Amino acid sequence: MSVNFSLEGKIALVTGASYGIGFAIASGMAKAGAKIVFNDIKQELVDKGIAAYKEAGIDAKGYVCDVTNEEQVNAMVEQIAKEVGPVDILVNNAGIIKRIPMCEMTAAEFRQVIDVDLNAPFIVSKAVIPSMIERGHGKIINICSMMSELGRETVSAYAAAKGGLKMLTRNICSEYGQYNIQCNGIGPGYIETPQTAPLRERQADGSRHPFDQFICAKTPANRWLKPEELAGPAVFLASEASDAVNGHILYVDGGILAYIGKQPQ
């Protein structure tokens, strides 16, 4: 059975994977045998990522690339093919969020979120699909969100982008499934990362942060999730074990989407 989950000999491109969720997913894939390549928008972030992978015992190769720039993406994919090999697995992980009330958000700010979170996965997927078609196999994993299903105040652009990414996932499945290309999504819940650390800090009186209380009350697991908990689902969707799974969004959220929340006491 372990053979079905092996990524031995596969080349995985994980965008924006210098740290955080992308790093955790890439590290899990490396442990399953994949060769990891990643990008980030600045050289210092790529260098930081390479150092982190090295510390984890992973020989990863990093590239500077703006995933919203089609010319840069095409050049990066060509360079990866020459230096490492053609991409077998793509994880569209790079993303941003701007927490701004909708009526206070400018159209330019809205477009920026759409560009990074939705247009970029389209651009990078389009760059790797032709080679996948030629070789008769490929795996694309889009990092969606609970906001692919839900709305919440201050995240209109993010929710619009992630909802669109869910449908792009299904359309890639519909259009390229005949070539043995599987495109699925992962929808993370609330994850323990350095960015969310302030929301989990104890208050001066020893009580939990209000947002921490809110998330735990809304999550059947009653806790924040760890980045490495996304690695198993990602390895599954990248492996032969998921060859019959296509156009699916796998929510790794501790059950939050299935739960209406605790009744007030």
Side-chain angles (χ1 to χ4, degrees):
M1 194 62 184
S2 62
V3 175
N4 290 340
F5 291 89
S6 173
L7 302 182
E8 200 67 43
K10 303 295 185 183
I11 296 168
L13 167 59
V14 186
T15 65
S18 296
Y19 58 91
I21 287 172
F23 179 83
I25 287 173
S27 298
M29 289 184 172
K31 291 174 183 176
K35 171 67 178 178
I36 301 301
V37 293
F38 71 98
N39 84 291
D40 221 311
I41 198 166
K42 296 178 181 179
Q43 185 64 56
E44 51 262 42
L45 291 173
V46 171
D47 293 341
K48 177 183 175 182
I50 289 173
Y53 285 110
K54 187 174 181 180
E55 185 177 349
I58 298 168
D59 180 23
K61 193 166 181 61
Y63 297 84
V64 177
C65 178
D66 177 355
V67 287
T68 68
N69 185 308
E70 190 166 14
E71 289 184 3
Q72 288 188 29
V73 168
N74 289 339
M76 177 183 69
V77 170
E78 288 180 13
Q79 191 176 356
I80 291 170
K82 289 177 183 176
E83 297 178 354
V84 187
V87 173
D88 299 296
I89 301 159
L90 167 64
V91 182
N92 282 310
N93 166 75
I96 62 170
I97 187 169
K98 289 182 179 292
R99 300 184 185 278
I100 304 171
M102 180 175 163
C103 289
E104 297 174 20
M105 176 175 261
T106 66
E109 289 169 329
F110 188 91
R111 289 190 191 101
Q112 185 185 9
V113 175
I114 298 294
D115 205 21
V116 177
D117 292 358
L118 180 56
N119 290 342
F122 164 77
I123 290 168
V124 186
S125 297
K126 191 159 72 82
V128 302
I129 285 173
S131 172
M132 290 178 173
I133 292 173
E134 287 178 10
R135 289 174 293 119
H137 67 87
K139 300 280 187 175
I140 298 174
I141 302 170
N142 292 324
I143 302 303
C144 296
S145 167
M146 290 186 299
M147 298 302 111
S148 297
E149 302 290 344
L150 301 172
R152 192 169 181 272
E153 61 276 4
T154 77
V155 294
S156 58
Y158 185 78
K162 293 299 186 177
L165 186 58
K166 175 182 72 173
M167 294 313 300
L168 178 63
T169 300
R170 291 177 176 174
N171 203 80
I172 292 173
C173 154
S174 302
E175 199 162 350
Y176 298 105
Q178 62 182 310
Y179 302 106
N180 193 31
I181 295 171
Q182 290 83 46
C183 181
N184 294 288
I186 290 177
Y190 286 89
I191 309 293
E192 289 184 5
T193 65
Q195 288 85 351
T196 62
L199 300 175
R200 291 178 279 107
E201 289 179 352
R202 290 282 174 174
Q203 304 300 285
D205 62 0
S207 65
R208 290 161 61 185
H209 191 288
F211 193 77
D212 182 22
Q213 295 180 49
F214 167 71
I215 291 305
C216 291
K218 289 288 186 182
T219 308
N222 197 36
R223 64 178 177 85
W224 292 65
L225 308 180
K226 299 181 183 302
E228 53 267 28
E229 290 182 289
L230 297 168
V235 168
F236 165 65
L237 291 177
S239 71
E240 292 179 1
S242 64
D243 281 356
V245 180
N246 210 354
H248 177 71
I249 313 300
L250 176 54
Y251 290 99
V252 186
D253 64 354
I256 194 169
L257 282 174
Y259 188 46
I260 198 171
K262 292 180 181 178
Q263 180 176 335
Q265 300 297 315

